[in-house]
Amino acid sequence: MELTKKSLLKHCREMNMYSTPELNDRLYLHQKGICKIENLDEYTGIRVLWLQQNGIEEIENLHHLQQLKHLYLNENMIKRINGAQSLQHLPDLDTLNLEKNYIKHIETDDLSHLSKLNTLNLAHNRLCDMENVRGLLRCPSLCVLDLRNNNLEVSQAFIHEILSKLPNLRVLYLMNSSDGNNENRISEQLKCYRKMVIAKCANLRHLDERPVFEDEGDAVMRGAAEALKRKQQANHAAFGRLIEEAKHSKAKTKPPISDDKEDDDDDEVQSSAADTDDHKDDTKSESQ
């Protein structure tokens, strides 16, 4: 389907919608074989736009839809977001679904102007590397984020430098247990993936296929406190052992007193005592 004013009007009538374009608040254009977004200028009242499962290669010509809140572009042929131009005039956009496209990189200005963006779905794309998702940091309003099946390595650096820097993140999808195609992987150096993510993302309420319960977060904090306590105790014990080893080593290096020296000392004492007695006898004889 080519998006012309005539085809759009016909479509609205078939869907029992208004013939006056600006009166419509939603537009269903999914599975229509659309290759180019165009001729939507008169549909200024649109709040929800469904364009999924088409052949769209570029996000464009949406600048007149300033009331748009929800945009569904999943399952198309989009290679880049180009948000600086394509999404520049959508100040109220809340939901952006780009699942199952060919996006390789999130540019720094792709999402920076979407101050109300709450939900972003980028699952089943080709992001592949942590550096390719740093553009997410320019959109702190994100609450729901889906990054499954992007061949990403989830490492401690990824959690610390990306996920933990999204202050409003509530729901996160990273790992997919059912679909192994282009699946994300956990770094071999990362131990306790779930605990680490929960510990670093303080406001997280749902991770992958399970909710994050309050006591689970508390358990992570308790576990961290206990681990710190154990480390401090181990350090204290190690320091005590070092002191004992130093004392023992010092005692070993002190030269022992030999038996011969002790005998010589005894002889000297006895000889001194004998000389004293002889002196006393001589003094006595002289006085007599």
Side-chain angles (χ1 to χ4, degrees), residues 1 46 48 53 63 114 117 122 131 147 177 199 202 205 235 243 256-257 260 281:
M1 174 183 177
I46 294 294
V48 188
Q53 297 179 323
H63 51 279
L114 300 176
L117 189 63
L122 284 165
E131 297 303 318
L147 291 173
S177 61
R205 296 295 175 265
N235 289 341
I243 292 175
I257 300 174
D260 293 340
D281 290 341

Side-chain angles (χ1 to χ4, degrees), residues 46-49 59 62 65-73 81 83 86-98 110-111 113-120 139 141-142:
I46 294 294
R47 293 176 180 269
V48 188
L49 178 58
I59 306 173
L62 297 172
L65 311 183
Q66 295 187 17
Q67 296 186 47
L68 190 64
K69 288 184 175 291
H70 307 283
L71 177 59
Y72 298 92
L73 283 163
I81 299 174
S86 63
L87 305 175
Q88 182 66 42
H89 302 287
L90 305 178
D92 293 328
L93 193 65
D94 176 271
T95 302
L96 178 58
N97 192 332
L98 291 167
D110 277 343
L111 308 172
H113 51 282
L114 300 176
S115 60
K116 295 183 180 180
L117 189 63
N118 179 285
T119 301
L120 177 63
C139 190
S141 61
L142 281 176

Side-chain angles (χ1 to χ4, degrees), residues 117-282:
L117 189 63
N118 179 285
T119 301
L120 177 63
N121 190 341
L122 284 165
H124 294 272
N125 276 279
R126 300 182 178 183
L127 296 171
C128 298
D129 189 86
M130 180 178 74
E131 297 303 318
N132 295 339
V133 300
R134 287 194 181 274
L136 293 172
L137 301 177
R138 301 294 301 277
C139 190
S141 61
L142 281 176
C143 291
V144 181
L145 178 62
D146 193 341
L147 291 173
R148 288 174 295 181
N149 298 87
N150 271 284
N151 197 26
L152 287 166
E153 182 179 61
V154 182
S155 63
Q156 188 168 346
F158 181 85
I159 296 170
H160 178 70
E161 296 180 25
I162 305 295
L163 300 181
S164 69
K165 301 295 176 63
L166 298 173
N168 294 300
L169 193 61
R170 300 287 193 279
V171 179
L172 174 64
Y173 298 100
L174 272 178
M175 308 308 296
N176 192 344
S177 61
S178 58
D179 188 351
N181 184 30
N182 211 28
E183 188 175 359
N184 298 336
R185 60 198 181 281
I186 298 173
S187 169
E188 294 180 358
Q189 286 73 38
L190 179 61
K191 307 300 180 183
C192 303
Y193 150 76
R194 184 175 175 85
K195 288 184 178 181
M196 177 65 72
V197 174
I198 294 172
K200 292 294 184 180
C201 302
N203 295 315
L204 202 63
R205 296 295 175 265
H206 194 105
L207 176 59
D208 297 330
E209 299 176 351
R210 288 191 289 151
V212 176
F213 297 104
E214 188 172 342
D215 58 348
E216 187 176 8
D218 292 341
V220 171
M221 298 306 295
R222 285 198 304 272
E226 289 172 2
L228 179 61
K229 184 178 179 180
R230 288 195 297 270
K231 184 176 180 180
Q232 290 174 340
Q233 290 174 341
N235 289 341
H236 183 73
F239 184 67
R241 287 194 298 271
L242 286 174
I243 292 175
E244 291 300 323
E245 289 173 1
K247 288 180 179 178
H248 186 64
S249 177
K250 186 176 181 181
K252 276 187 173 181
T253 55
K254 186 176 180 180
I257 300 174
S258 65
D259 293 340
D260 293 340
K261 189 174 185 332
E262 289 179 355
D263 292 341
D264 292 342
D265 290 343
D266 291 341
D267 291 342
E268 288 178 3
V269 170
Q270 291 174 3
S271 174
S272 177
D275 291 342
T276 303
D277 290 341
D278 292 342
H279 179 70
K280 286 181 179 179
D281 290 341
D282 294 341

